[in-house]
Amino acid sequence: REELRDFARRIAGQGYLCLLPDLYYRDGKVRFDLSKGEEELKKMFAIGRELTVDRVMRDTSGMLDYFKSNDTVTDKVGCIGYCMSGQFVVAAAGDYPDDFAAIASLYGTLIVTDKPDSPHLKAANAKGELYLGFAETDHFVEDNVIPDTTGVLDANNVTYTVEVHPGTEHGFCFPQRPQYVEAAAESVWTTVFDLFERRLKA
């Protein structure tokens, strides 16, 4: 949606080549009108549940191959994921540790699962730096996600920062959502660009 394209433009405006993947390409040109409320959100989550970590990691491999074939791209890659894509960037940090130097997950769902390919377990292999930002109130993210994830990261000496943004709900980064909190969203951008500056440009 245009809101995500605006995010990509903002990242590109900082001097980065930015790729915005369509996670739903297997189902054709799927678009959601989130202004329609809860029903449209349920539709998005229903289709999103068809995505698996394995599928998205294969897609990620293709994206990395594209970067490697492009002479304008350095060997340092960053990624950012919101909501359901938050789990995928955490998994990518572990599956492609030599590629991803900076990883940001905002109120990521399904970071911790009971499956052997749970993203938080994969993140044990990460060599890059992770930023995990969460909303203070979020019924899509279970209470165990932060302690379970940080436990794995600590045990494997992964560099990371966890931040819970006060007075926010799930979706607070998106300007077109009623949950938008400008101060918190702008704070996230500052943190992410600081992370990218340290890890991608150095």
Side-chain angles (χ1 to χ4, degrees), residues 111-112 120 132 134 144-158 160-162:
I111 292 175
V112 176
H120 83 297
L132 305 170
F134 295 95
N144 65 299
V145 169
I146 292 177
D148 286 0
T149 303
T150 57
V152 170
L153 299 179
D154 287 337
N156 291 278
N157 298 311
V158 176
Y160 72 92
T161 300
V162 168

Coordinates of all heavy atoms in Angstrom, one line a residue, residues 111-112 120 132 134 144-158 160-162:
I111 N 7.0 -14.0 16.7 CA 8.5 -14.1 16.9 C 8.8 -15.4 17.7 O 9.8 -16.1 17.4 CB 9.1 -12.9 17.6 CG1 8.9 -11.7 16.6 CG2 10.5 -13.1 18.0 CD1 9.4 -10.4 17.2
V112 N 8.0 -15.7 18.6 CA 8.1 -16.9 19.4 C 7.0 -17.9 19.1 O 5.8 -17.6 19.3 CB 8.2 -16.6 20.9 CG1 8.3 -17.9 21.8 CG2 9.3 -15.7 21.3
H120 N 12.7 -16.6 17.0 CA 13.6 -16.3 18.1 C 14.7 -17.3 18.3 O 15.8 -16.9 18.7 CB 12.8 -16.1 19.4 CG 12.4 -17.4 20.1 ND1 11.6 -18.4 19.6 CD2 12.8 -17.8 21.4 CE1 11.5 -19.4 20.5 NE2 12.2 -19.1 21.6
L132 N 14.4 -4.4 18.7 CA 13.0 -4.9 18.8 C 12.2 -3.9 19.6 O 12.4 -3.7 20.8 CB 13.1 -6.2 19.6 CG 14.0 -7.3 19.1 CD1 14.2 -8.4 20.1 CD2 13.5 -7.8 17.8
F134 N 8.4 -2.6 20.7 CA 7.0 -3.1 21.0 C 6.1 -2.0 21.5 O 6.6 -1.0 22.0 CB 7.1 -4.2 22.1 CG 7.9 -5.4 21.6 CD1 9.2 -5.6 21.9 CD2 7.2 -6.4 20.9 CE1 9.9 -6.7 21.5 CE2 7.9 -7.6 20.5 CZ 9.3 -7.7 20.8
N144 N 5.1 -13.6 26.8 CA 6.4 -14.3 26.9 C 7.4 -14.0 25.8 O 8.5 -14.4 25.8 CB 6.1 -15.8 26.8 CG 5.5 -16.2 25.5 OD1 4.4 -15.8 25.1 ND2 6.2 -17.1 24.7
V145 N 6.9 -13.2 24.8 CA 7.8 -12.9 23.6 C 9.1 -12.2 24.0 O 10.2 -12.7 23.6 CB 7.0 -12.1 22.6 CG1 7.9 -11.6 21.5 CG2 5.9 -13.0 21.9
I146 N 9.0 -11.2 24.8 CA 10.2 -10.4 25.1 C 11.2 -11.3 25.9 O 12.3 -11.4 25.6 CB 9.9 -9.1 25.8 CG1 9.2 -8.2 24.8 CG2 11.2 -8.5 26.3 CD1 8.8 -6.8 25.3
P147 N 10.7 -11.9 27.1 CA 11.7 -12.7 27.9 C 12.2 -13.9 27.1 O 13.4 -14.2 27.3 CB 10.9 -13.1 29.1 CG 9.4 -12.9 28.7 CD 9.4 -11.8 27.7
D148 N 11.4 -14.6 26.3 CA 11.9 -15.8 25.6 C 12.9 -15.4 24.6 O 13.9 -16.0 24.4 CB 10.7 -16.5 24.9 CG 9.8 -17.2 25.9 OD1 10.1 -17.2 27.1 OD2 8.8 -17.9 25.4
T149 N 12.6 -14.2 23.9 CA 13.5 -13.8 22.8 C 14.8 -13.3 23.4 O 15.9 -13.7 22.9 CB 12.9 -12.7 22.0 OG1 11.7 -13.2 21.4 CG2 13.8 -12.3 20.8
T150 N 14.8 -12.4 24.4 CA 16.0 -11.9 25.0 C 16.8 -13.0 25.7 O 18.0 -12.9 25.7 CB 15.7 -10.8 26.0 OG1 14.8 -11.2 27.0 CG2 15.0 -9.6 25.3
G151 N 16.1 -14.0 26.2 CA 16.8 -15.1 26.8 C 17.7 -15.8 25.8 O 18.9 -16.1 26.1
V152 N 17.2 -16.0 24.6 CA 18.0 -16.7 23.5 C 19.1 -15.7 23.1 O 20.3 -16.2 22.9 CB 17.1 -17.1 22.3 CG1 17.9 -17.5 21.1 CG2 16.2 -18.2 22.7
L153 N 18.8 -14.5 22.9 CA 19.8 -13.5 22.4 C 20.9 -13.4 23.4 O 22.1 -13.3 23.0 CB 19.2 -12.2 22.1 CG 18.1 -12.2 21.0 CD1 17.5 -10.7 20.9 CD2 18.6 -12.7 19.7
D154 N 20.6 -13.3 24.7 CA 21.6 -13.2 25.7 C 22.5 -14.4 25.8 O 23.7 -14.3 25.9 CB 21.0 -12.9 27.1 CG 20.4 -11.6 27.3 OD1 20.8 -10.6 26.6 OD2 19.5 -11.4 28.1
A155 N 21.9 -15.6 25.7 CA 22.6 -16.8 25.8 C 23.6 -17.0 24.6 O 24.6 -17.7 24.7 CB 21.7 -18.0 25.8
N156 N 23.4 -16.3 23.5 CA 24.2 -16.4 22.3 C 25.0 -15.1 22.0 O 25.5 -15.0 20.9 CB 23.4 -16.8 21.1 CG 22.8 -18.3 21.3 OD1 23.6 -19.2 21.0 ND2 21.6 -18.4 21.8
N157 N 25.0 -14.2 23.0 CA 25.8 -13.0 22.8 C 25.5 -12.2 21.6 O 26.3 -11.6 20.9 CB 27.3 -13.3 22.8 CG 27.8 -14.0 24.1 OD1 27.4 -13.5 25.2 ND2 28.5 -15.1 24.0
V158 N 24.2 -12.1 21.3 CA 23.7 -11.3 20.1 C 23.5 -9.9 20.6 O 23.0 -9.6 21.7 CB 22.4 -11.9 19.6 CG1 21.8 -11.0 18.5 CG2 22.6 -13.3 19.1
Y160 N 21.6 -6.5 20.8 CA 20.3 -6.1 20.6 C 19.8 -5.0 21.5 O 20.4 -4.8 22.6 CB 19.3 -7.3 20.7 CG 19.1 -7.8 22.1 CD1 18.1 -7.3 22.9 CD2 20.0 -8.7 22.7 CE1 17.9 -7.7 24.2 CE2 19.9 -9.1 24.0 CZ 18.8 -8.6 24.8 OH 18.6 -9.0 26.1
T161 N 18.7 -4.4 21.2 CA 18.0 -3.4 22.0 C 16.6 -3.8 22.0 O 16.0 -4.0 20.9 CB 18.3 -2.0 21.6 OG1 19.7 -1.7 21.6 CG2 17.5 -1.0 22.5
V162 N 15.9 -3.8 23.2 CA 14.5 -3.9 23.3 C 13.9 -2.6 23.8 O 14.4 -2.1 24.8 CB 14.1 -5.1 24.2 CG1 12.6 -5.1 24.5 CG2 14.4 -6.4 23.5

